[in-house]
Amino acid sequence: MPLKLNADHLQAMQSHAKQVYPEECCGLLLGFTEPEGNRLVEVRAAQNAWDKQIASEMAANPSITKVRRYWISPEEMLVAMRDARDRGMDIIGIYHSHPDHPALPSECDRQLAWPQYSYVILSIRQGEVGETYSWQLDDHHQFQPEELMVLDP
């Protein structure tokens, strides 16, 4: 099923990716889960909270930095969840960038992904945004491509 969004949503994610390059950007997608796919209403940029403490807690190589990982703090996630709920929406996905790498999910992306969320990944090379793809987990916890359906505003 597609992720339905408009050109402004894509622009917001691309601008964020350029702003924080060469680090990974990250953010939340607020909207509605509908039988014919997720419908995006708001792109909410988040702070990439990846640091040495998170790396240690995740048993990751401590030399891995924000250039290769992102982390949205539980506090920021909770605020977004409450805001979405108060407005009758849900968090329907997460976006992040892959600086100087393809817009393909990594093994870390797969391991930390949640079912029913859309995962938009933007490739950004030398500060310029390239391909953008969306992914969803299947029943075997493997990413499958999800159509990005860009609608008129």
Side-chain angles (χ1 to χ4, degrees):
M1 289 193 282
L3 170 62
K4 294 177 276 184
L5 67 164
N6 63 46
D8 290 343
H9 296 135
L10 278 174
Q11 180 62 41
M13 290 184 271
Q14 292 171 346
S15 293
H16 188 201
K18 287 180 177 181
Q19 179 184 11
V20 302
Y21 178 86
E23 296 179 350
E24 288 195 11
C25 75
C26 56
L28 300 167
L29 306 175
L30 280 57
F32 301 98
T33 301
E34 300 174 335
E36 58 278 352
N38 288 337
R39 182 166 52 96
L40 180 58
V41 174
E42 179 180 325
V43 173
R44 181 177 289 207
Q47 178 181 353
N48 184 350
W50 185 267
D51 61 14
K52 288 183 179 182
Q53 180 180 344
I54 298 297
S56 174
E57 292 172 7
M58 301 298 295
N61 182 332
S63 68
I64 296 175
T65 66
K66 292 179 183 183
V67 172
R68 290 191 50 216
R69 292 284 190 275
Y70 76 93
W71 185 259
I72 299 173
S73 75
E75 295 81 9
E76 191 164 6
M77 181 70 91
L78 184 58
V79 168
M81 291 172 90
R82 286 181 177 154
D83 182 46
R85 182 192 62 210
D86 290 348
R87 297 164 57 201
M89 296 187 287
D90 292 307
I91 295 176
I92 60 169
I94 294 174
Y95 73 92
H96 72 283
S97 60
H98 280 180
D100 300 314
H101 287 281
L104 304 173
S106 67
E107 179 60 17
C108 181
D109 292 335
R110 188 188 69 78
Q111 289 177 353
L112 298 175
W114 296 341
Q116 76 263 51
Y117 271 20
S118 294
Y119 286 88
V120 175
I121 302 176
L122 304 96
S123 173
I124 180 163
R125 296 179 186 274
Q126 303 301 314
E128 295 299 321
V129 176
E131 72 271 13
T132 301
Y133 299 124
S134 187
W135 306 87
Q136 272 201 321
L137 291 175
D138 64 17
D139 293 339
H140 305 286
H141 206 79
Q142 299 297 314
F143 274 115
Q144 299 299 323
E146 176 185 48
E147 178 187 1
L148 284 172
M149 183 183 290
V150 181
L151 307 172
D152 292 331

